[in-house]
Amino acid sequence: MTLGHGKRFFEYLFTVWVIVTLNFVLPRTMPGDPFLYLSADEGDEVARFSQAQQAYYQRQYGLDRPLAVQYGTYLGSLIKGDMGYSIYYNQDVSRVLFQRLPWTLLLVSLAVGLSSLAGCLLGSLSAYHRGRFVDRWLFPAIVAFSEIPAFLLGLVLLFTLAAGLRWFPLSGAMTHFADHNGVMDKILDIARHAALPVLTLTLVRTGGMALLARNSMTTVLARDYVRTARAKGLHPLRILKRHTLRNAMLPIVTRIFLSLGGLVGGAILVENVFAYPGLGRLMREAVLVHDYPMIQGIFLLVTVSVLSANFAADLVYRRLDPRIQHLESPRS
């Protein structure tokens, strides 16, 4: 790792520490008591504990100690890889998280792949036909889709394609108590349940990716070597493949890596719209019951995913464009 990479790594490490600190403080500023919900279902209060019972649970979970002591214990546990014990779920936080994480990763990976492919194709098409008929109707459509909130688009798809036309299930990740006839039947069931959340995230992200691809391609298409290639009579597809796409990929690749981290956070609202059992659904449940350790664990996981994607984007960008390394290297 070079000096620049090491500096960047410590900057990210400092950012993680700041966010971990905020993760510890902010849930404790929420009004309410987590021990009101130990026997509840998604925040519905069913029992009132006495002062003695609340004091007992406070001691059990270490919440009767001063905040500074709690904070030190929390940091020490994180360094050891212990994310704490969930108050509401009565399990290790890491165990619950890694039960829900695969569902979110399924949505995110599919949405990033599909939105990147569709965005690059639409953006390149719009840039190549800039000012012509194709661009005049395609560009406004791209801008419109890039401004639609994910939860609103999800609700529209839910009411039309699931509730109205009944093409897809209304909620969940699998059919409950279904007797699947083999692995392929189970995969198809999972795909049907994931279709609308993935479609929502893909449509929301495609607009931004297409705009970025269009701007990047427009800049490259105005270069002298592209005009020379056109003057030589080269086929348009060859010009796109050999001369423009390769040079326009730098910001696009960076955006793809950033989308990997950003979509983990963006999936939170979409998962709640479709009652999908990923990290977003888990966060809603944890907030409702004031489960401090679980809230801290979810935010930490989202933070690490976003920062890791940013760090990977920096590394890839420097690899694709060596001029950045040259500019950042110390002068002799």
Side-chain angles (χ1 to χ4, degrees):
M1 183 178 290
T2 64
L3 181 62
H5 293 161
K7 180 181 178 182
R8 181 72 67 178
F9 174 76
F10 283 108
E11 289 176 353
Y12 283 128
L13 196 62
F14 175 76
T15 303
V16 170
W17 173 74
V18 171
I19 295 178
V20 164
T21 303
L22 292 175
N23 283 349
F24 175 82
V25 174
L26 291 179
R28 287 162 174 77
T29 63
M30 297 168 53
D33 189 338
F35 303 113
L36 293 177
Y37 305 101
L38 287 175
S39 302
D41 182 17
E42 293 198 7
D44 296 328
E45 186 180 333
V46 297
R48 282 282 185 182
F49 293 107
S50 65
Q51 292 291 334
Q53 289 174 316
Q54 291 186 28
Y56 169 77
Y57 286 118
Q58 292 277 353
R59 288 193 302 271
Q60 284 290 103
Y61 289 93
L63 297 179
D64 61 332
R65 303 172 185 174
L67 280 179
V69 176
Q70 295 182 44
Y71 178 66
T73 303
Y74 175 55
L75 286 183
S77 298
L78 279 183
I79 293 174
K80 298 176 184 177
D82 182 8
M83 302 177 74
Y85 197 80
S86 171
I87 298 173
Y88 180 72
Y89 295 94
N90 200 29
Q91 298 182 58
D92 289 332
V93 169
S94 57
R95 182 178 180 182
V96 179
L97 288 178
F98 290 112
Q99 287 173 349
R100 301 290 190 99
L101 182 60
W103 298 110
T104 297
L105 289 180
L106 174 64
L107 300 186
V108 170
S109 58
L110 289 175
V112 167
L114 293 174
S115 63
S116 300
L117 179 61
C120 289
L121 290 175
L122 292 175
S124 300
L125 183 64
S126 179
Y128 194 79
H129 296 281
R130 186 181 181 186
R132 285 177 265 180
F133 175 77
V134 173
D135 183 49
R136 282 199 297 269
W137 68 262
L138 186 58
F139 181 68
I142 293 173
V143 173
F145 268 104
S146 66
E147 298 298 327
I148 300 177
F151 73 92
L152 179 59
L153 181 59
L155 286 173
V156 171
L157 294 177
L158 181 67
F159 283 120
T160 55
L161 300 183
L165 299 175
R166 300 183 183 275
W167 289 353
F168 300 97
L170 286 169
S171 62
M174 292 177 62
T175 303
H176 295 294
F177 310 111
D179 187 14
H180 297 108
N181 298 320
V183 177
M184 185 55 64
D185 189 32
K186 183 177 181 180
I187 292 175
L188 290 175
D189 186 29
I190 294 174
R192 290 184 67 249
H193 283 80
L196 289 184
V198 169
L199 179 60
T200 302
L201 292 173
T202 299
L203 291 176
V204 169
R205 291 283 172 168
T206 296
M209 185 65 71
L211 290 176
L212 179 63
R214 183 183 187 275
N215 292 337
S216 183
M217 286 289 294
T218 300
T219 302
V220 174
L221 286 170
R223 300 284 174 83
D224 292 337
Y225 58 84
V226 176
R227 286 196 291 265
T228 301
R230 284 175 170 172
K232 290 180 178 179
L234 296 180
H235 194 276
L237 289 179
R238 186 178 181 185
I239 295 175
L240 284 175
K241 182 180 178 181
R242 297 287 299 275
H243 298 280
T244 57
L245 281 177
R246 183 178 300 177
N247 295 286
M249 283 301 293
L250 284 175
I252 296 172
V253 170
T254 304
R255 178 63 177 266
I256 291 173
F257 275 93
L258 295 180
S259 297
L260 288 171
L263 265 180
V264 175
I268 291 174
L269 292 175
V270 173
E271 287 182 0
N272 281 288
V273 169
F274 295 98
Y276 200 80
L279 293 180
R281 181 77 173 176
L282 181 62
M283 179 178 291
R284 173 182 174 272
E285 296 167 357
V287 169
L288 284 175
V289 297
H290 300 76
D291 192 341
Y292 300 154
M294 185 60 68
I295 296 172
Q296 292 166 180
I298 296 171
F299 276 115
L300 178 62
L301 190 59
V302 172
T303 298
V304 170
S305 67
V306 172
L307 293 179
S308 298
N310 290 351
F311 188 65
D314 284 341
L315 295 179
V316 172
Y317 201 93
R318 285 167 173 76
R319 186 67 179 268
L320 293 175
D321 192 353
R323 294 174 298 176
I324 297 176
Q325 296 182 4
H326 176 71
L327 291 174
E328 292 185 351
S329 61
R331 296 181 179 178
S332 55

